[in-house]
Each structure stands twice: as C-alpha cells, then as structure tokens.
C-alpha cells in the first residue's frame, strides 16, 4: 500500500483538515506503540451512502441574515465536493422545535387538503435547500414530520405528544404525497422519509406518539400505496427515528407486521440515549439489506463556541456507528445563531456552524471539521473494511478502556483507495502502526506494512497522532 495523504485537525493548533508533511507524522523511533491497527481489505461490510445535515427553518432563518456571497460560501463548504461533500439534507414537514413557532401546511381543519400551502416552507427552508442543491446536484432530501396538524391529533395540539387519529391515517399519507410533490416541483430531490421523529417522546414542542405496530401498519396500508399510486414509489420509508436504546425492540415489533419488510426500507436513529452501538449492530446483522441511518445528534444546552469536546463527541459517535453498520450519517442543524437557536421552546443546541446574525460573523466549529474528516473522503458507495486495534499501551484514563484513547474505522472508496480515520482523545501523542492483511492462497494471511511515500523501501514505520486530534489517511494499492 502506498501512502498518499494524511490530513489532521488538532486542538491547540491551527490545523483544520490540513495535509501533513512527512516530518509531521513520522515517529522518532518505533517504540512505545499505543497500538497496531489492522486493516483487512478482504473483509467488507456495509456500503455507505453518505453524510449530511439538517436544513431546518431555524437554519434557513439564520442564513437569511447573511449576504448572498456568504450564504453561497457556507453552502459550498457543506455540500460541494471540495467541501464536506454532504449527500443528504434532512428537513421537516410542518414545524419542529427548530422553527420560529408552530405551523402546518394545512393549519385549519380541511379534510380535502385543498388549502395545503408551502408558504411557510418556502420562506426559509426551500431557498436554503435549493442553494444546497446547486452545490450538489445529487443531493438527496429526507423528509420527517415532528407532528401532524393539531386538528388531526387526539390532543388537538401540535406539542405535548398526542397521537394521530386513526381516521386520518390515509389522509396523513396524502399529506406526505403533497409535500413530496411540492419539493419536486421546486427542483429538489426527495428520496427518503421517516414516518415520525422521535415517536416515543412526549415533548413540550412538536411531537406525536406512534407504536412500532402503528408505524408498520401505516407504512404497509397507507404510505407505501400512496407513494406508488402517485409516482413516488422510489422514495424510501424509514421507521423509528429515535434513540439507539430501543432499536431492537422496535425492529421486532414493526417487522412482525405482515408486509412490513416489503414496505419499510430501514430504520433511523439518534444518539441522545447514549452509546448503545450493539443495538445498531444487531439491526444491521438482522437486516443487512435495509438502510440504517443516523439522522440526528447535537450538543444540547445551547451553543458551545470553541469548545473542543464537541468535535470529539461527533468523531466518537461517527466511528462507532459506522463500525456497527450504519449506512448514512446526518448531522442536526446545519447552522444556528450564537445562542443555539432560534428555537420556539428554548431547546437550544450547538451546531457545526454558528452565525452572529447582528455582526454577520460566521464561526466554523471543530465539529464541522471532525465531520469533514469522514465526509470528504468516505464517498457515497464506499465499503467499510475490517479494522481492529491491538493495544500495546493504554495511558491513564478514567476507565482504562482502549476505546477512550484511540478509535478508528476504515473504508474502501469506489476509486479503490483505502481511507483510515484515527482519533486520539487523550492528552498524549499516540504512536501506532498500520498493517494491511491480504489473502495470498487459501486461508493464509500475509501482513504488509504500508510503504512510505518518501522511500522506496518496504520497511516498518510508525505514525504519530498528537493529543486531542483526528487524522485521515489515504492509501492506494500499488
């Protein structure tokens, strides 16, 4: 394997996805290894579909405060192939908490849906999506409702949970159809929907409760037939769209409904209940042909300008979700203001891009660059490779686990390049080796250490990852 490039983002430095010179990564001597990373190109797993972010009303609103040139730069940095190369944009049908208030496309009771209006969507969301699409003509839009209109619900309220009335299941499917056709008419490309955002959460903001059985029955009897009837049969349907904790329970409940495996294309999940990556892996193994999308994660409690742990939280979650079988990874709000909003119930969060709507200053958080270490190099169509760590030395950590020091994942791109991402969350530099295994004959394995781009000798060398840093390595088969 020939080493082509190494890119680095590191705390207490100005490096942000910066390419390293050889002297910056070579260890002084091949001793005191923290670990050996073994990559097996003969073992391939899920095909990855890409990264993305959410274009909410709040994101569109803060963007609208900037000049056209500033907006175009942000969109290029997020969606262009020379930027973070996002392949997905998730948005909401009707309002969500990151809206300027409660609203619906059919606000008052209208069982004909003849009053269906894109007026609110078109104010801030559609322009932002269209600007994103101009940067990436392959951009896929994912649509998720936080709630039906109040008049369709048992509690007559867009907030505080409640449920969709059974008599409105078919009408709600028609509502989806109208919204998706509206996006298409605006030159956008809706490819995925989830039935409900966080369907087990009763929130003080836009929310609605669905059981796993109800989601599956709605997909089988209403939504999938409505899509096929209206020329939208290629749009994929995802369920759950909630935390990792109950993925397995919901999987068993929903897929026990007759016809569910045909109508439902996969599951979506969030990170707010904790690491529970075993649940992600269990679904991936049980349904290897289904999509498994991470669709929302953010640092809660408001904006965190300049705090380094934010990016590390992203890196940790991305590496472990990918290693568990995730097929797409979508960040929450693309951009927010310096408070972490606007949010109509003050549920403020951090975002990878923060915008001062008064001074027009734009702050790219380290989370933007941490995501970029993956999204810029693991292109859609890449396959995950076997990748494991053999620890040699574990520095003092709170629990002594290797996963809290060095973490990694590896992918094979459609162009045949091997991408390795390594993250060091310790306060010490980590020295490690990379081994590539290849099948020679039968079950025999040969371990081959990479060839440095600065020497023709096939000799062992060690890499160095500085404290609180993430690195992306690009290798090419010789």
């Amino acid at each position: 394997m020939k080493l082509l490039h190494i890119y680095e983002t590191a705390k207490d430095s100005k490096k942000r996805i910066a390419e390293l010179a050889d002297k910056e990564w070579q260890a002084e001597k091949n001793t005191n290894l923290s670990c050996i990373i073994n990559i097996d190109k003969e073992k391939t797993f899920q095909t990855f579909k890409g990264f993305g972010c959410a274009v909410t009303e709040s994101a569109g609103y803060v963007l609208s405060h900037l000049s056209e040139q500033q907006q175009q730069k942000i969109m290029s940095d997020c969606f262009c192939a020379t930027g973070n190369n996002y392949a997905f944009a998730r948005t909401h049908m009707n309002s969500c908490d990151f809206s300027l208030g409660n609203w619906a496309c059919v606000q008052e009771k209208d069982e004909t849906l003849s009053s269906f209006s894109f007026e609110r969507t078109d104010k801030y969301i559609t322009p932002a999506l269209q600007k994103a699409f101009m940067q990436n003509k392959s951009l896929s839009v994912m649509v998720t409702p936080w709630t039906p209109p109040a008049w369709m619900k048992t509690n007559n309220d867009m907030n505080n949970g409640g449920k969709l009335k059974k008599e409105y299941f078919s009408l709600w499917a028609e509502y989806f159809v109208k919204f998706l056709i509206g996006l298409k008419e605006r030159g956008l490309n809706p490819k995925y929907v989830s039935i409900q955002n966080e369907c087990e959460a009763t929130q003080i903001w836009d929310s609605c409760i669905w059981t796993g059985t109800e989601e599956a029955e709605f997909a089988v009897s209403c939504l999938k037939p409505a899509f096929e009837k209206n020329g939208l049969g290629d749009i994929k349907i995802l369920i759950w769209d909630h935390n990792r904790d109950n993925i397995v329970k919901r999987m068993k409940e929903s897929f026990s409904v007759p016809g569910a495996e045909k109508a439902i294309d996969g599951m979506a999940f969030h990170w707010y209940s904790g690491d529970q990556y075993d649940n992600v892996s269990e679904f991936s193994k049980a349904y290897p042909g289904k999509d498994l999308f991470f669709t929302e994660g953010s640092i809660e409690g408001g904006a965190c300008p300049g705090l380094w742990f934010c990016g590390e939280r992203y890196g940790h979650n991305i590496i472990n979700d990918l290693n568990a079988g995730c097929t797409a990874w979508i960040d929450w709000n693309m951009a927010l203001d310096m408070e972490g909003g606007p949010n109509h119930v003050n549920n403020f969060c951090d975002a990878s891009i923060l915008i001062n709507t008064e001074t027009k200053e734009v702050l790219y958080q380290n989370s933007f660059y941490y995501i970029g270490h993956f999204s810029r190099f693991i292109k859609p169509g890449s396959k995950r490779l076997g990748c494991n760590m053999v620890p040699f030395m574990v520095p003092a950590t709170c629990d002594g686990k290797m996963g809290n020091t060095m973490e990694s994942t590896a992918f094979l791109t459609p162009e045949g390049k091997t991408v390795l991402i390594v993250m060091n969350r310790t306060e010490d530099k980590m020295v490690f080796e990379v081994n590539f295994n290849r099948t020679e004959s039968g079950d025999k394995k040969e371990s081959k250490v990479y060839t440095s781009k600065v020497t023709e000798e096939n000799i062992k060398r060690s890499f160095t990852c500085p404290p609180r840093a993430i690195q992306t390595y690009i290798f090419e088969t010789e």
Side-chain angles (χ1 to χ4, degrees):
M1 300 296 290
K2 180 181 180 183
L3 176 63
L4 298 178
H5 308 283
I6 304 177
Y7 300 91
E8 181 179 289
T9 295
K11 187 175 183 288
D12 301 325
S13 81
K14 294 182 179 180
K15 292 186 176 72
R16 299 295 181 265
I17 318 184
E19 185 164 8
L20 300 185
D22 296 308
K23 64 180 181 180
E24 295 181 276
W25 58 261
Q26 291 177 350
E28 294 180 3
K29 52 185 178 179
N30 192 11
T31 57
N32 297 324
L33 292 178
S34 74
C35 65
I36 291 178
I37 298 175
N38 295 304
I39 299 175
D40 192 341
K41 293 186 69 175
E42 300 298 323
K43 290 184 179 179
T44 59
F45 299 90
Q46 80 272 21
T47 299
F48 193 69
K49 295 188 174 180
F51 290 84
C53 64
V55 177
T56 60
E57 183 176 48
S58 294
Y61 172 77
V62 297
L63 281 169
S64 71
H65 287 74
L66 301 178
S67 68
E68 188 66 25
Q69 183 178 8
Q70 286 178 301
Q71 292 185 50
Q72 292 295 345
K73 183 182 185 308
I74 288 175
M75 290 303 182
S76 176
D77 289 341
C78 288
F79 296 97
C80 186
T82 56
N84 269 11
N85 196 35
Y86 290 157
F88 292 92
R90 181 175 180 241
T91 196
H92 47 96
M93 181 172 70
N94 297 336
S95 59
C96 70
D97 53 324
F98 280 92
S99 294
L100 305 183
N102 288 131
W103 54 268
C105 297
V106 182
Q107 191 69 35
E108 304 299 329
K109 185 174 181 179
D110 173 14
E111 295 180 351
T112 69
L113 303 186
S114 59
S115 61
F116 194 98
S117 172
F118 254 78
E119 181 180 359
R120 190 63 179 261
T121 304
D122 282 342
K123 190 168 185 179
Y124 296 116
I125 298 172
T126 302
L129 287 172
Q130 289 171 334
K131 287 182 174 69
F133 185 76
M134 291 301 294
Q135 299 295 331
N136 181 357
K137 294 299 180 64
S138 299
L139 183 69
S140 297
V141 176
M142 177 181 175
V143 173
T144 301
W146 267 239
T147 178
W151 57 271
M152 285 189 176
K153 295 175 65 182
T154 56
N155 65 345
N156 199 36
D157 186 354
M158 294 187 74
N159 307 324
N160 302 302
K163 297 175 70 70
L164 176 69
K165 294 177 181 178
K166 285 281 188 180
E167 62 263 32
Y168 286 137
F169 269 37
S170 293
L171 191 65
W172 186 227
E174 292 178 32
Y175 202 105
F176 269 88
V177 168
K178 282 186 172 291
F179 192 82
L180 295 168
I181 290 176
L183 291 179
K184 283 179 171 287
E185 290 172 346
R186 286 155 176 80
L188 299 168
N189 185 28
K191 296 297 291 184
Y192 289 86
V193 301
S194 59
I195 291 173
Q196 171 64 44
N197 179 74
E198 298 189 346
C199 46
E200 283 187 350
T202 298
Q203 306 283 23
I204 62 171
W205 57 83
D206 322 66
S207 49
C208 185
I209 304 300
W210 293 71
T211 67
T213 299
E214 288 168 341
E215 275 201 293
E217 289 176 345
F218 176 69
V220 171
S221 301
C222 301
L223 195 58
K224 189 68 173 180
F227 284 178
E228 292 175 343
K229 179 182 177 181
N230 291 277
L232 300 172
D234 61 333
I235 293 181
K236 308 295 185 183
I237 299 172
L238 306 181
I239 57 171
W240 184 227
D241 216 347
H242 205 165
N243 292 324
R244 298 185 187 106
D245 55 353
N246 283 336
I247 285 177
V248 175
K249 172 189 170 185
R250 293 290 290 221
M251 169 185 76
K252 293 176 179 178
E253 182 181 353
S254 293
F255 284 102
S256 67
V257 173
E261 287 193 41
K262 183 178 179 181
I264 295 168
D265 297 285
M267 293 189 80
F269 64 96
H270 304 172
W271 77 20
Y272 302 109
S273 62
D275 281 2
Q276 302 130 342
Y277 303 110
D278 287 346
N279 293 336
V280 180
S281 181
E282 185 169 342
F283 178 86
S284 176
K285 292 174 181 177
Y287 294 96
K290 298 293 185 183
D291 280 312
L292 187 51
F293 282 22
F294 178 90
T295 51
E296 186 182 322
S298 66
I299 311 298
E300 299 173 284
C304 305
L307 295 186
W308 198 258
F309 82 91
C310 299
E312 291 175 324
R313 184 174 177 186
Y314 275 84
H316 170 72
N317 277 272
I318 294 172
I319 287 172
N320 287 280
D321 281 331
L322 296 187
N323 288 343
C326 175
T327 59
W329 209 95
I330 304 172
D331 186 21
W332 191 205
N333 291 282
M334 176 180 63
L336 292 173
D337 65 23
M338 299 306 294
E339 189 175 21
N343 183 290
H344 72 88
V345 290
N346 297 326
N347 180 37
F348 300 123
C349 294
D350 194 37
S352 62
I353 299 174
L354 297 177
I355 295 172
N356 188 319
T357 55
E358 295 182 1
T359 66
K360 320 303 181 188
E361 293 177 284
V362 178
L363 173 63
Y364 287 78
Q365 298 271 68
N366 74 317
S367 51
F368 175 84
Y369 299 106
Y370 266 70
I371 296 170
H373 271 272
F374 301 87
S375 63
R376 297 184 186 208
F377 308 105
I378 303 174
K379 297 180 180 179
S382 296
K383 287 184 176 293
R384 181 168 65 88
L385 298 174
C387 180
N388 68 75
M389 284 183 168
V390 179
F392 275 55
M393 173 271 291
V394 181
T397 58
C398 59
D399 58 11
K401 292 183 179 179
M402 188 62 189
N404 282 349
T405 60
M406 293 276 285
E407 295 179 292
S408 65
T409 191
F411 279 77
L412 182 67
T413 71
E415 298 80 17
K417 292 182 174 62
T418 297
V419 176
L420 169 68
I421 292 97
V422 175
M423 186 174 71
N424 175 16
R425 288 190 286 148
T426 76
E427 298 291 346
D428 296 311
K429 68 179 181 181
M430 296 287 105
V431 178
F432 62 98
E433 288 179 356
V434 178
N435 286 345
F436 288 87
N437 296 326
R438 61 180 183 180
T439 301
E440 293 296 316
S441 61
D443 294 327
K444 183 181 177 182
K445 292 279 185 178
E446 177 187 339
S447 179
K448 183 178 181 181
V449 181
Y450 77 94
T451 303
S452 170
K453 62 181 179 179
V454 296
T455 178
E456 294 181 357
E457 299 175 7
N458 188 13
I459 61 176
K460 278 191 176 183
R461 287 184 183 271
S462 299
F463 295 103
T464 300
C465 187
R468 309 289 296 274
I470 185 168
Q471 295 175 327
T472 300
Y473 294 76
I474 313 295
F475 298 93
E476 184 174 56
T477 303
E478 293 180 288

